[in-house]
């Protein structure tokens, strides 16, 4: 039960766009504060923001407007987004993109006249996606990491957060319990303010885009801490994940949205285009529609050799494709595909969680001292995230969180003592794998992949969701009986894979219970037994919360604070 104890004024969990922006803003707002970034991997080398290819949505060009971006976001959300959060996103994206360029040194692609180039992304009425080729995330994270290093902000690298620890009376957060992955020791970091910005990462599905270390740890911790999660049934599948066969981790990685935005074709196994049968916008329909269309083609057997469909770009000119999508062409070439001149197999791939912790526009949550930003939060995107709104979400709300936390710490003073019982109980729970004989974690993971892909994925029904719930309970029990080697805790990969799987099963249960509760179809959530959208005027969002060992779901009305269905700000 031994653990080390550290202190910091502001503790930031995660080093993606949200976490690093929060660190920079908190430091700038009050340089006297100690600010520490804790990350499961290495700062600047992990997280989903670094993997962003497509770009950053922002209303900059003549003819575009914040109002137009807002309406695209709300309509894309199927009227489920929190409108105050969505307005904050689109309004502050204009501020943040200037900050990225002028203060942090990001170089984005430009037009011949010197203006920022903005490309087309699906589901939007204006070409507003700012980018650095097709490797936008690397540009943003490299510049953010440089600035964090230059300012001497504290870093706890290779430290895994495992528990949000409340005070003894439960009224506020006191800090976070972690595991130092380098030696297996437990560390409690006491903090005046904590930011949850670990990112989502729906890697519980057979095909997924995030790296394997992304395992929804933040959401699992939030559930255990008694926080409410909203919109958890809303799992976004990117329509075009690379399908390179079962023997490579490259399968599932994204072939970016700009390919379809630029005019790429989707073809069935016989080489025929099919998207016009599903939506008048064809390949430029929103991600949910394109993913369902591809899945329907797959289920009908009209597939490519590996069971997906094709994307084709050659009609746009191979040289043009190589120039415009250099990163994508190279990624495909690494797997033996010619994106510029041939066809590449693709499959819908789990990409993003629209759901997450309920939070306010200033990034505060229901737990005093805990703030949240980025993919750990819910409400910004509603039922469907527009491509390009994700990295905008992380950077916008990350900066807001940093400002808010610095001001909040200045007003609210000192550290709070943790509930020692919670720390002891958490250590006991995380020691559990060492008490059993080692087993096959990989086999449980494969079963989880199949369960979620088949019964809680792109097309859903009550029968399938109930089957998924039963299987998740079985997998949870099986994992509890499965141990890991205890001889060496230094970079004990098996232990951390066990912990990853536990988080994924916990969050998968939240997804399935929320999906079963929503008896209509909105955006990323499609019920074959309830295919109708339902009445937009009486829209509700789901809220899931842990009550003992059970998850309880409720429905809360959407507040149309700026515009109602059928109306527009344009």
């Amino acid at each position: 039960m031994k653990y080390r104890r550290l202190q910091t004024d502001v503790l930031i969990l995660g080093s993606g766009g949200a976490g690093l922006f929060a660190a920079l803003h908190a430091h700038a707002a009050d340089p006297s504060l100690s600010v520490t970034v804790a990350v499961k991997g290495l700062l600047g080398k992990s997280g989903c923001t670094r993997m962003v290819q497509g770009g950053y949505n922002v209303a900059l060009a003549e003819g575009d407007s914040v109002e137009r971006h807002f309406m695209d976001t709300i309509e894309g959300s199927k009227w489920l987004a929190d409108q105050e959060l969505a307005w904050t996103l689109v309004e502050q994206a204009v501020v943040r993109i200037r900050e990225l360029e002028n203060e942090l040194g990001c170089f984005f692609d430009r037009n011949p006249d010197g203006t920022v180039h903005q490309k087309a992304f699906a589901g939007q009425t204006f070409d507003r996606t700012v980018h650095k080729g097709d490797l936008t995330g690397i540009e943003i994270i490299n510049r953010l990491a440089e600035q964090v290093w230059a300012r001497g902000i504290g870093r706890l690298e290779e430290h895994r957060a495992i528990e949000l620890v409340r005070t003894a009376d439960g009224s506020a957060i006191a800090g976070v319990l972690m595991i130092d992955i380098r030696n297996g020791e437990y560390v409690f970091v006491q903090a005046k303010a904590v930011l949850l910005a670990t990112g989502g990462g729906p890697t519980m599905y057979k095909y997924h885009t995030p790296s394997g270390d992304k395992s929804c740890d933040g959401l699992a911790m939030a559930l255990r801490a008694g926080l409410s999660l909203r919109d958890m049934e809303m799992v976004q599948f990117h329509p075009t994940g690379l399908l390179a066969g079962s023997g490579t981790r490259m399968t599932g990685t994204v072939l970016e949205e700009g390919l379809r935005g630029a005019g790429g074709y989707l073809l069935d196994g016989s080489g025929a285009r099919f998207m016009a049968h599903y939506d008048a916008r064809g390949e430029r329909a929103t991600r949910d529609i394109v993913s369902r269309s591809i899945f329907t083609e797959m289920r009908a057997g009209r597939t490519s050799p590996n069971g997906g469909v094709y994307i084709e770009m050659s009609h746009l000119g191979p040289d043009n494709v190589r120039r415009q999508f250099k990163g994508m062409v190279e990624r495909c070439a690494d797997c033996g595909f010619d994106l510029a001149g041939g066809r590449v197999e693709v499959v819908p791939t789990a990409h993003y969680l629209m759901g997450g912790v309920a939070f306010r526009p200033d990034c505060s949550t229901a737990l005093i001292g805990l703030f949240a930003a980025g993919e750990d939060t819910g409400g910004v995107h509603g039922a469907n995230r527009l491509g390009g709104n994700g990295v905008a979400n992380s950077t916008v709300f990350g900066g807001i969180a940093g400002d808010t936390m610095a001001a909040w710490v200045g007003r609210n003073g000192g550290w709070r003592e943790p509930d020692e019982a919670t720390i002891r109980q958490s250590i006991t729970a995380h020691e559990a794998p060492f008490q059993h004989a080692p087993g096959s974690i990989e086999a449980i993971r494969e079963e989880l992949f199949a369960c979620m892909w088949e019964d809680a994925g792109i097309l859903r029904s009550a029968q399938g969701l109930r089957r998924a719930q039963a299987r998740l309970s079985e997998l949870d029990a099986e994992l509890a009986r499965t141990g890991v080697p205890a001889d060496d805790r230094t970079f004990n990969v098996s232990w951390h894979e066990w912990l990853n799987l536990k988080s994924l099963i916990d969050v998968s249960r939240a997804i399935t219970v929320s999906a079963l509760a929503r008896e209509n179809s909105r955006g990323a959530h499609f019920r074959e037994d309830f295919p109708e959208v339902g009445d937009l005027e009486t829209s509700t969002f789901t809220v899931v919360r842990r009550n003992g060992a059970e998850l309880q779901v409720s429905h809360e009305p959407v507040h149309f604070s700026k515009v109602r269905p059928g109306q527009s700000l344009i």
Side-chain angles (χ1 to χ4, degrees):
M1 294 297 180
K2 291 182 179 179
Y3 62 89
R4 286 191 293 122
R5 190 160 175 161
L6 304 174
Q7 282 187 331
T8 186
D9 292 319
V10 175
L11 176 62
I12 294 167
L13 305 180
S15 68
L20 296 186
F21 249 108
L24 292 173
H25 272 244
H27 177 78
D30 187 349
S32 69
L33 294 177
S34 58
V35 178
T36 303
V37 178
V39 55
K40 200 174 176 180
L42 299 176
L43 192 145
K45 300 296 183 183
S46 55
C48 288
T49 303
R50 184 176 181 82
M51 300 171 73
V52 169
Q53 298 158 2
Y56 189 117
N57 289 344
V58 56
L60 293 179
E62 184 178 354
D64 199 6
S65 67
V66 168
E67 290 79 7
R68 189 170 181 171
H69 187 185
F70 176 78
M71 288 307 305
D72 285 350
T73 298
I74 294 300
E75 290 172 356
S77 83
K78 307 305 177 187
W79 295 90
L80 289 185
D82 180 301
Q83 295 192 2
E84 296 305 311
L85 294 174
W87 182 260
T88 301
L89 169 72
V90 300
E91 184 180 51
Q92 290 301 307
V94 180
V95 176
R96 199 68 78 236
I97 202 74
R98 300 302 189 195
E99 185 178 352
L100 281 164
E101 276 207 310
N102 301 333
E103 297 182 33
L104 299 175
C106 288
F107 286 93
F108 297 117
D109 287 6
R110 292 188 175 271
N111 297 310
D113 64 359
T115 57
V116 174
H117 182 262
Q118 294 179 273
K119 62 184 175 182
F121 255 32
Q124 301 190 70
T125 60
F126 206 91
D127 296 355
R128 64 168 65 93
T129 306
V130 173
H131 62 106
K132 172 69 171 178
D134 52 8
L135 300 172
T136 309
I138 289 176
E139 178 70 12
I140 291 173
I141 285 295
N142 284 355
R143 303 293 82 78
L144 284 170
E146 288 169 359
Q147 296 301 323
V148 167
W149 292 326
R151 284 159 175 73
I153 290 167
R155 305 199 302 273
L156 285 173
E157 295 179 303
E158 295 174 325
H159 277 65
R160 178 187 195 128
I162 59 173
E163 208 74 56
L164 303 176
V165 181
R166 291 176 180 253
T167 55
D169 65 2
S171 64
I173 192 168
V176 179
L177 184 64
M178 301 185 185
I179 296 172
D180 184 340
I181 297 172
R182 299 167 300 183
N183 55 29
E185 293 181 354
Y186 293 96
V187 182
F188 175 70
V189 184
Q190 190 176 25
K192 298 173 182 175
V194 175
L195 177 67
L196 189 65
T198 64
T203 59
M204 65 282 287
Y205 289 90
K206 179 179 179 180
Y207 302 110
H208 56 261
T209 69
S211 58
D213 65 320
K214 302 300 293 180
S215 52
C216 300
D217 294 335
L219 297 179
M221 287 190 293
L223 279 172
R224 290 198 298 274
L227 291 163
S228 295
L229 308 185
R230 63 169 288 174
D231 300 327
M232 285 302 294
E233 71 274 25
M234 301 303 178
V235 182
Q236 183 169 76
F237 285 78
H238 195 290
T240 52
L242 179 61
L243 185 54
S246 59
T248 172
R249 289 295 297 271
M250 290 298 289
T251 285
T253 56
V254 166
L255 297 185
E256 67 127 316
E257 184 123 336
L259 296 172
R260 290 182 292 113
Y265 294 158
L266 291 174
L267 312 175
D268 66 17
S270 70
R273 291 180 71 185
F274 58 85
M275 275 306 303
H277 302 309
Y278 298 98
D279 193 281
R281 294 169 291 184
E283 284 85 356
R284 287 184 65 172
T286 52
R287 289 177 172 181
D288 56 313
I289 293 172
V290 180
S291 292
R292 285 199 299 275
S293 302
I294 293 174
F295 192 82
T296 301
E297 293 291 308
M298 292 167 59
R299 197 160 64 173
R302 296 185 287 270
T303 63
S304 60
N306 282 307
V309 298
Y310 294 108
I311 190 167
E312 183 177 80
M313 303 292 294
S314 58
H315 57 282
L316 301 175
D319 290 341
N320 177 55
V321 174
R322 291 188 189 97
R323 181 177 60 255
Q324 192 173 353
F325 299 103
K326 180 176 182 291
M328 296 296 93
V329 170
E330 291 176 351
R331 172 171 293 182
C332 292
D334 287 342
C335 297
F337 296 111
D338 180 8
L339 178 64
R343 294 173 179 173
V344 178
E345 292 186 71
V346 293
V347 66
T349 179
H351 185 49
Y352 192 94
L353 289 171
M354 274 74 76
V357 176
F359 80 126
R360 306 179 186 98
D362 68 352
C363 295
S364 61
T365 71
L367 180 57
I368 293 173
L370 179 69
F371 301 81
E375 198 180 347
D376 274 333
T377 63
V380 179
H381 308 293
N384 191 39
R385 176 180 69 89
L386 296 180
N389 270 5
V391 68
N393 173 29
S394 295
T395 57
V396 163
F397 287 103
I400 290 171
D403 294 335
T404 300
M405 288 189 296
W408 189 87
V409 169
R411 293 193 307 268
N412 291 278
W415 290 284
R416 296 168 294 278
E417 285 302 309
D419 179 17
E420 292 290 342
T422 298
I423 295 176
R424 289 195 302 270
Q425 290 163 7
S426 181
I427 292 176
T428 298
H430 288 85
E431 287 289 296
F434 297 119
Q435 312 307 316
H436 300 279
S440 178
I441 296 172
E442 181 66 24
I444 300 174
R445 184 190 297 110
E446 291 296 325
E447 287 294 320
L448 177 64
F449 286 167
C451 166
M452 293 301 288
W453 174 258
E454 293 166 9
D455 289 330
I458 296 170
L459 298 177
R460 300 166 171 174
S461 67
Q463 182 181 15
L465 290 166
R466 291 194 181 99
R467 186 166 53 238
Q469 287 181 313
R471 189 66 182 123
L472 288 170
S473 294
E474 293 170 355
L475 292 175
D476 197 29
E478 187 175 346
L479 183 66
R481 296 189 298 268
T482 302
V484 299
D487 52 338
D488 187 0
R489 299 198 178 195
T490 301
F491 291 104
N492 190 320
V493 175
S494 295
W495 185 22
H496 289 282
E497 284 295 305
W498 193 101
L499 298 178
N500 287 346
L501 200 48
K502 176 60 176 170
S503 290
L504 288 172
I505 290 173
D506 288 348
V507 175
S508 294
R509 285 176 140 176
I511 290 170
T512 54
V513 73
S514 299
L516 190 59
R518 176 171 289 284
E519 295 183 337
N520 58 36
S521 293
R522 295 280 183 98
H525 169 75
F526 190 87
R527 289 281 297 265
E528 293 184 283
D529 47 352
F530 292 99
E532 299 302 319
V533 170
D535 179 34
L536 296 180
E537 279 284 350
T538 58
S539 294
T540 61
F541 58 90
T542 59
V543 177
V544 61
R545 186 171 182 154
R546 186 168 166 174
N547 184 16
E550 300 299 320
L551 294 176
Q552 293 183 339
V553 182
S554 60
H555 299 271
E556 296 188 15
V558 176
H559 298 292
F560 302 117
S561 59
K562 292 190 176 294
V563 62
R564 303 191 70 83
Q567 299 176 343
S568 175
L569 298 185
I570 302 173

